[in-house]
Amino acid sequence: MGVRQLARQLDAIERLLCVRHLVAIQKHTTGQEMRFLEGLPSQPDFLEAPAAKEGKSTGALPESAIQDLNAALASGDIVRITDLLGALARNRGMSQIARDTNLARESLYRSLDAGGNPEFATVLKVLTSLGIDLEVRKTSTPDRDR
């Protein structure tokens, strides 16, 4: 066996080991950790602006969607809020929302589907991903019946 053949075989073995290690690392790390390893920004996903996605709405939400969401929030109807938030997320693209929020796509579908019960942190992350700020203001009279 010549030196060149041996060098080629060693290179092939080294590439194979690197690929195996990369696969093992990918199985045991989060998306944010992989981005850190790849040298990408380590800022939490849900704080980043949503990236463009082909075939899905990537621009600002229409004013009517914001008004509908405000009306749903004012009504206090949890089902209506969840349904509307889910529709907005599906319109943007649930895969993109999942990347933006660092949450599993399947978990987002379940949480934002009819009958879903998303955690407040999930709602905040989805709103941020959609480019919506949640603002609190004092009401003139507290409504204790809700």
Short mmCIF file of all heavy atoms in Angstrom, two decimals, residues 35-72:
data_model
loop_
_atom_site.label_atom_id
_atom_site.label_comp_id
_atom_site.label_asym_id
_atom_site.label_seq_id
_atom_site.Cartn_x
_atom_site.Cartn_y
_atom_site.Cartn_z
N ARG A 35 -26.68 26.78 16.53
CA ARG A 35 -26.32 28.07 15.92
C ARG A 35 -25.06 28.62 16.57
O ARG A 35 -24.22 29.22 15.92
CB ARG A 35 -27.48 29.05 16.00
CG ARG A 35 -28.55 28.75 14.96
CD ARG A 35 -29.61 29.80 14.94
NE ARG A 35 -30.47 29.75 16.11
CZ ARG A 35 -31.42 28.84 16.31
NH1 ARG A 35 -31.63 27.90 15.44
NH2 ARG A 35 -32.16 28.87 17.39
N PHE A 36 -24.93 28.42 17.89
CA PHE A 36 -23.73 28.86 18.59
C PHE A 36 -22.52 28.11 18.05
O PHE A 36 -21.48 28.70 17.76
CB PHE A 36 -23.87 28.63 20.09
CG PHE A 36 -22.61 28.93 20.86
CD1 PHE A 36 -22.24 30.24 21.10
CD2 PHE A 36 -21.81 27.91 21.32
CE1 PHE A 36 -21.09 30.52 21.79
CE2 PHE A 36 -20.65 28.18 22.00
CZ PHE A 36 -20.29 29.49 22.26
N LEU A 37 -22.66 26.78 17.88
CA LEU A 37 -21.55 25.98 17.36
C LEU A 37 -21.21 26.35 15.93
O LEU A 37 -20.06 26.27 15.51
CB LEU A 37 -21.90 24.48 17.44
CG LEU A 37 -22.01 23.91 18.85
CD1 LEU A 37 -22.49 22.46 18.79
CD2 LEU A 37 -20.68 23.99 19.56
N GLU A 38 -22.21 26.77 15.16
CA GLU A 38 -21.99 27.16 13.77
C GLU A 38 -21.51 28.60 13.66
O GLU A 38 -21.25 29.09 12.56
CB GLU A 38 -23.28 26.98 12.96
CG GLU A 38 -23.69 25.53 12.83
CD GLU A 38 -25.11 25.37 12.29
OE1 GLU A 38 -25.83 26.38 12.19
OE2 GLU A 38 -25.48 24.24 11.99
N GLY A 39 -21.41 29.31 14.79
CA GLY A 39 -20.93 30.67 14.77
C GLY A 39 -21.99 31.71 14.47
O GLY A 39 -21.68 32.85 14.18
N LEU A 40 -23.26 31.32 14.56
CA LEU A 40 -24.35 32.26 14.32
C LEU A 40 -24.70 32.96 15.63
O LEU A 40 -24.31 32.51 16.69
CB LEU A 40 -25.56 31.52 13.75
CG LEU A 40 -25.33 30.87 12.39
CD1 LEU A 40 -26.53 30.04 12.00
CD2 LEU A 40 -25.03 31.91 11.34
N PRO A 41 -25.44 34.06 15.59
CA PRO A 41 -25.77 34.78 16.82
C PRO A 41 -26.48 33.87 17.82
O PRO A 41 -27.29 33.03 17.46
CB PRO A 41 -26.71 35.89 16.33
CG PRO A 41 -26.44 36.04 14.89
CD PRO A 41 -25.98 34.70 14.40
N SER A 42 -26.17 34.06 19.09
CA SER A 42 -26.76 33.22 20.13
C SER A 42 -27.95 33.88 20.80
O SER A 42 -28.43 33.38 21.80
CB SER A 42 -25.70 32.88 21.19
OG SER A 42 -25.20 34.06 21.77
N GLN A 43 -28.43 35.00 20.27
CA GLN A 43 -29.60 35.66 20.82
C GLN A 43 -30.79 34.72 20.74
O GLN A 43 -30.97 34.03 19.74
CB GLN A 43 -29.90 36.93 20.01
CG GLN A 43 -31.09 37.69 20.49
CD GLN A 43 -31.30 38.94 19.66
OE1 GLN A 43 -30.52 39.23 18.78
NE2 GLN A 43 -32.34 39.68 19.95
N PRO A 44 -31.62 34.65 21.77
CA PRO A 44 -32.78 33.76 21.71
C PRO A 44 -33.63 34.03 20.48
O PRO A 44 -33.82 35.18 20.08
CB PRO A 44 -33.55 34.09 22.99
CG PRO A 44 -32.54 34.68 23.90
CD PRO A 44 -31.53 35.38 23.02
N ASP A 45 -34.12 32.96 19.88
CA ASP A 45 -34.88 33.05 18.63
C ASP A 45 -36.07 33.99 18.72
O ASP A 45 -36.36 34.72 17.79
CB ASP A 45 -35.40 31.68 18.23
CG ASP A 45 -34.30 30.79 17.69
OD1 ASP A 45 -33.24 31.30 17.31
OD2 ASP A 45 -34.54 29.60 17.64
N PHE A 46 -36.79 33.95 19.84
CA PHE A 46 -38.03 34.70 19.88
C PHE A 46 -37.81 36.21 19.96
O PHE A 46 -38.73 36.97 19.79
CB PHE A 46 -38.94 34.23 21.01
CG PHE A 46 -38.44 34.55 22.40
CD1 PHE A 46 -38.81 35.71 23.03
CD2 PHE A 46 -37.62 33.65 23.06
CE1 PHE A 46 -38.36 35.99 24.30
CE2 PHE A 46 -37.17 33.93 24.33
CZ PHE A 46 -37.54 35.10 24.95
N LEU A 47 -36.56 36.64 20.14
CA LEU A 47 -36.27 38.06 20.15
C LEU A 47 -35.87 38.57 18.77
O LEU A 47 -35.79 39.76 18.54
CB LEU A 47 -35.14 38.37 21.14
CG LEU A 47 -35.47 38.09 22.61
CD1 LEU A 47 -34.25 38.38 23.46
CD2 LEU A 47 -36.64 38.93 23.06
N GLU A 48 -35.60 37.65 17.84
CA GLU A 48 -35.18 38.03 16.51
C GLU A 48 -36.39 38.35 15.65
O GLU A 48 -37.47 37.84 15.85
CB GLU A 48 -34.39 36.90 15.86
CG GLU A 48 -33.11 36.56 16.61
CD GLU A 48 -32.46 35.30 16.09
OE1 GLU A 48 -32.98 34.71 15.15
OE2 GLU A 48 -31.43 34.93 16.66
N ALA A 49 -36.18 39.19 14.65
CA ALA A 49 -37.25 39.49 13.70
C ALA A 49 -37.52 38.26 12.85
O ALA A 49 -36.59 37.53 12.50
CB ALA A 49 -36.85 40.67 12.81
N PRO A 50 -38.76 37.97 12.51
CA PRO A 50 -39.05 36.81 11.69
C PRO A 50 -38.43 36.94 10.30
O PRO A 50 -38.43 38.00 9.70
CB PRO A 50 -40.58 36.78 11.60
CG PRO A 50 -41.03 38.11 12.05
CD PRO A 50 -39.95 38.72 12.89
N ALA A 51 -37.89 35.83 9.81
CA ALA A 51 -37.29 35.80 8.48
C ALA A 51 -38.36 35.55 7.42
O ALA A 51 -39.43 35.05 7.70
CB ALA A 51 -36.23 34.70 8.42
N ALA A 52 -38.04 35.90 6.20
CA ALA A 52 -38.99 35.71 5.10
C ALA A 52 -39.17 34.23 4.81
O ALA A 52 -38.26 33.44 4.94
CB ALA A 52 -38.46 36.42 3.86
N LYS A 53 -40.38 33.85 4.45
CA LYS A 53 -40.70 32.47 4.10
C LYS A 53 -41.48 32.49 2.81
O LYS A 53 -42.46 33.20 2.70
CB LYS A 53 -41.54 31.84 5.21
CG LYS A 53 -42.07 30.49 4.86
CD LYS A 53 -41.81 29.53 5.96
CE LYS A 53 -42.44 28.20 5.65
NZ LYS A 53 -41.48 27.21 5.36
N GLU A 54 -41.02 31.69 1.86
CA GLU A 54 -41.68 31.67 0.56
C GLU A 54 -43.10 31.12 0.70
O GLU A 54 -43.33 30.15 1.40
CB GLU A 54 -40.90 30.80 -0.42
CG GLU A 54 -39.60 31.43 -0.85
CD GLU A 54 -38.86 30.59 -1.87
OE1 GLU A 54 -39.52 29.85 -2.62
OE2 GLU A 54 -37.64 30.66 -1.88
N GLY A 55 -44.01 31.77 0.01
CA GLY A 55 -45.39 31.27 -0.02
C GLY A 55 -46.22 31.68 1.19
O GLY A 55 -47.38 31.38 1.26
N LYS A 56 -45.63 32.32 2.15
CA LYS A 56 -46.36 32.73 3.35
C LYS A 56 -46.23 34.23 3.52
O LYS A 56 -45.33 34.86 2.99
CB LYS A 56 -45.81 32.03 4.60
CG LYS A 56 -45.98 30.52 4.59
CD LYS A 56 -47.42 30.15 4.74
CE LYS A 56 -47.58 28.63 4.77
NZ LYS A 56 -48.92 28.24 4.98
N SER A 57 -47.13 34.79 4.28
CA SER A 57 -47.10 36.22 4.54
C SER A 57 -45.89 36.56 5.39
O SER A 57 -45.68 35.97 6.44
CB SER A 57 -48.38 36.63 5.27
OG SER A 57 -48.30 37.95 5.70
N THR A 58 -45.06 37.49 4.92
CA THR A 58 -43.87 37.87 5.68
C THR A 58 -43.89 39.33 6.07
O THR A 58 -43.06 39.77 6.83
CB THR A 58 -42.61 37.59 4.85
OG1 THR A 58 -42.71 38.30 3.62
CG2 THR A 58 -42.43 36.12 4.59
N GLY A 59 -44.81 40.11 5.53
CA GLY A 59 -44.85 41.53 5.83
C GLY A 59 -45.57 41.79 7.14
O GLY A 59 -45.90 40.89 7.89
N ALA A 60 -45.80 43.07 7.36
CA ALA A 60 -46.53 43.47 8.56
C ALA A 60 -47.97 42.96 8.47
O ALA A 60 -48.53 42.83 7.39
CB ALA A 60 -46.52 44.99 8.69
N LEU A 61 -48.52 42.68 9.62
CA LEU A 61 -49.90 42.22 9.66
C LEU A 61 -50.83 43.35 9.25
O LEU A 61 -50.58 44.52 9.56
CB LEU A 61 -50.26 41.76 11.07
CG LEU A 61 -49.58 40.50 11.56
CD1 LEU A 61 -49.91 40.28 13.03
CD2 LEU A 61 -50.00 39.30 10.74
N PRO A 62 -51.91 43.03 8.57
CA PRO A 62 -52.87 44.08 8.22
C PRO A 62 -53.49 44.67 9.48
O PRO A 62 -53.63 43.99 10.50
CB PRO A 62 -53.91 43.36 7.37
CG PRO A 62 -53.63 41.92 7.47
CD PRO A 62 -52.29 41.73 8.07
N GLU A 63 -53.86 45.92 9.41
CA GLU A 63 -54.45 46.61 10.55
C GLU A 63 -55.72 45.90 11.03
O GLU A 63 -56.00 45.86 12.23
CB GLU A 63 -54.77 48.07 10.19
CG GLU A 63 -55.15 48.92 11.37
CD GLU A 63 -54.06 49.03 12.43
OE1 GLU A 63 -52.87 49.03 12.08
OE2 GLU A 63 -54.42 49.10 13.62
N SER A 64 -56.46 45.28 10.11
CA SER A 64 -57.68 44.57 10.50
C SER A 64 -57.36 43.38 11.41
O SER A 64 -58.12 43.08 12.34
CB SER A 64 -58.45 44.09 9.27
OG SER A 64 -57.66 43.19 8.51
N ALA A 65 -56.22 42.71 11.17
CA ALA A 65 -55.83 41.59 12.03
C ALA A 65 -55.49 42.08 13.43
O ALA A 65 -55.85 41.44 14.42
CB ALA A 65 -54.64 40.85 11.42
N ILE A 66 -54.81 43.23 13.51
CA ILE A 66 -54.48 43.81 14.81
C ILE A 66 -55.76 44.21 15.55
O ILE A 66 -55.91 43.95 16.74
CB ILE A 66 -53.57 45.05 14.63
CG1 ILE A 66 -52.29 44.69 13.87
CG2 ILE A 66 -53.26 45.71 15.96
CD1 ILE A 66 -51.35 43.76 14.61
N GLN A 67 -56.70 44.81 14.83
CA GLN A 67 -57.97 45.20 15.44
C GLN A 67 -58.75 43.98 15.93
O GLN A 67 -59.33 44.00 17.03
CB GLN A 67 -58.81 46.01 14.45
CG GLN A 67 -58.25 47.39 14.17
CD GLN A 67 -58.98 48.10 13.03
OE1 GLN A 67 -59.84 47.53 12.37
NE2 GLN A 67 -58.62 49.35 12.82
N ASP A 68 -58.77 42.91 15.13
CA ASP A 68 -59.46 41.68 15.54
C ASP A 68 -58.83 41.10 16.79
O ASP A 68 -59.54 40.67 17.71
CB ASP A 68 -59.42 40.64 14.41
CG ASP A 68 -60.28 41.02 13.22
OD1 ASP A 68 -61.12 41.94 13.36
OD2 ASP A 68 -60.10 40.40 12.15
N LEU A 69 -57.50 41.10 16.85
CA LEU A 69 -56.81 40.56 18.02
C LEU A 69 -57.08 41.43 19.24
O LEU A 69 -57.32 40.91 20.33
CB LEU A 69 -55.31 40.44 17.74
CG LEU A 69 -54.48 39.72 18.79
CD1 LEU A 69 -55.02 38.31 19.07
CD2 LEU A 69 -53.03 39.63 18.36
N ASN A 70 -57.07 42.74 19.08
CA ASN A 70 -57.40 43.64 20.19
C ASN A 70 -58.82 43.42 20.68
O ASN A 70 -59.07 43.41 21.89
CB ASN A 70 -57.20 45.10 19.79
CG ASN A 70 -55.75 45.52 19.89
OD1 ASN A 70 -55.00 45.01 20.71
ND2 ASN A 70 -55.35 46.46 19.05
N ALA A 71 -59.75 43.24 19.75
CA ALA A 71 -61.15 42.98 20.14
C ALA A 71 -61.26 41.66 20.89
O ALA A 71 -62.00 41.56 21.89
CB ALA A 71 -62.05 42.97 18.90
N ALA A 72 -60.54 40.65 20.43
CA ALA A 72 -60.57 39.35 21.11
C ALA A 72 -59.98 39.47 22.51
O ALA A 72 -60.52 38.92 23.48
CB ALA A 72 -59.80 38.31 20.29
#
